Amino acid sequence: MQPTRILQGLKYRKLRLTTKDTNKGFYKGNRTGSMGTHTSYGTYKIDYAKVRTYVCPDLSTFKLTPFVSKAIRAVHDQFPGDKLGPKNPATYLARWKSENGLD
């Protein structure tokens, strides 16, 4: 693909070519590269030699700790006597008003 004559002029010579500087059909991309090829049937065939693989190192002797302690358990709300539980809109509104006040 060649840029138009106007874009080849001095005005745009030192500027980066963007999609707004050209007509339809120009796709800049985001430098991620392809992971495979498009087939004639409209599907995408992945080439596993091109797929990025990230190997996590051994973290057993890692000195930094997470932001949340591992000792904290997940707390689930209790809704005794409410058949819908957290899906009940009246319960939701009552909790919202108790935590946020009246509007």
Side-chain angles (χ1 to χ4, degrees), residues 31-38 44-47 49-52:
R31 300 179 293 152
T32 60
S34 66
M35 293 291 127
T37 56
H38 293 281
Y44 194 74
K45 176 100 173 150
I46 295 178
D47 182 10
K50 292 182 171 183
V51 175
R52 294 173 192 88

Side-chain angles (χ1 to χ4, degrees), residues 1-81:
M1 185 208 140
Q2 286 286 331
T4 60
R5 284 191 178 261
I6 296 171
L7 293 177
Q8 288 178 347
L10 289 175
K11 183 178 179 184
Y12 287 101
R13 176 68 73 186
K14 304 219 188 277
L15 296 177
R16 194 175 281 152
L17 190 64
T18 66
T19 55
K20 292 182 179 182
D21 295 330
T22 62
N23 290 331
K24 296 188 289 186
F26 177 71
Y27 177 69
K28 188 173 184 177
N30 52 7
R31 300 179 293 152
T32 60
S34 66
M35 293 291 127
T37 56
H38 293 281
T39 65
S40 59
Y41 300 107
T43 60
Y44 194 74
K45 176 100 173 150
I46 295 178
D47 182 10
Y48 287 101
K50 292 182 171 183
V51 175
R52 294 173 192 88
T53 311
Y54 300 103
V55 179
C56 182
D58 182 26
L59 299 176
S60 60
T61 59
F62 197 66
K63 298 204 182 344
L64 293 178
T65 58
F67 291 117
V68 179
S69 174
K70 294 179 182 180
I72 295 178
R73 296 180 314 211
V75 177
H76 299 286
D77 290 332
Q78 302 295 324
F79 299 95

